[in-house]
Amino acid sequence: NAGVMQNPRHLVRRRGQEARLRCSPMKGHSHVYWYRQLPEEGLKFMVYLQKENIIDESGMPKERFSAEFPKEGPSILRIQQVVRGDSAAYFCASSPGSSVGAQYFGPGTRLLVL
Amino acid sequence: AQSVTQPDIHITVSEGASLELRCNYSYGATPYLFWYVQSPGQGLQLLLKYFSGDTLVQGIKGFEAEFKRSQSSFNLRKPSVHWSDAAEYFCAVDPDSWGKLQFGAGTQVVVTP
């Protein structure tokens, strides 16, 4: 049973480009969460999604960031017009339900903005 | 303000010695509580969780944690550490049972021979 999968594992972008981060939840999990780990900071919640629905995006920056979890395919975290401050590790987690149990994390995508 | 505090940023322990990592939270009700471990360049692995019931929780890799309501604490322990336990450890809470985890700043554990 594969765990949470994220790709790419490493992503390099120049300022102004777009970054797309993908997350495939564990089999049987329908809830996806995105977290960001900035250098020298802890993990911060960004967004919580279910299939075709954004449940809570209170941690998302107001501009340039968006997330989706379509009916088919992985969840996507999209960052438009990246800036150096977006350099971080982005982790996806999944759970079978919001109040059912723990979240299981993927290996993360390390984004570096030049 | 609601928060999760891990008072120790860095702990050094000898291999074979015991380890205790502290975690305190400040929320009105008892949240769901978790401990995760992160090795360099890796994702987070769940060690254990507490939702309700027995306040002493057993996890993987020989770890356990004790929930103390009176102290708002959920400290992680291991009786005898192995070199492979060197990693960063994060305490997390889910205050609303909603899945929106709040993490502590983490404790870096170094294991010496």
Side-chain angles (χ1 to χ4, degrees), chain A residues 8-11 88-91 107-112, chain B residues 38 40-43:
Chain A
R9 293 289 304 275
H10 299 273
L11 183 61
Y90 292 82
F91 292 97
T109 294
R110 272 78 180 167
L111 172 65
L112 175 62
Chain B
Q38 184 181 29
Q42 302 298 313

Side-chain angles (χ1 to χ4, degrees), chain A residues 23 29 31 86:
Chain A
C23 169
H29 288 192
H31 297 245
D86 297 331

Side-chain angles (χ1 to χ4, degrees), chain A residues 25 29-31 49-54 69-74:
Chain A
H29 288 192
S30 58
H31 297 245
L49 310 107
Q50 295 178 23
K51 286 282 188 181
E52 300 183 282
N53 283 301
I54 297 174
F69 189 16
K71 186 176 181 181
E72 301 292 336

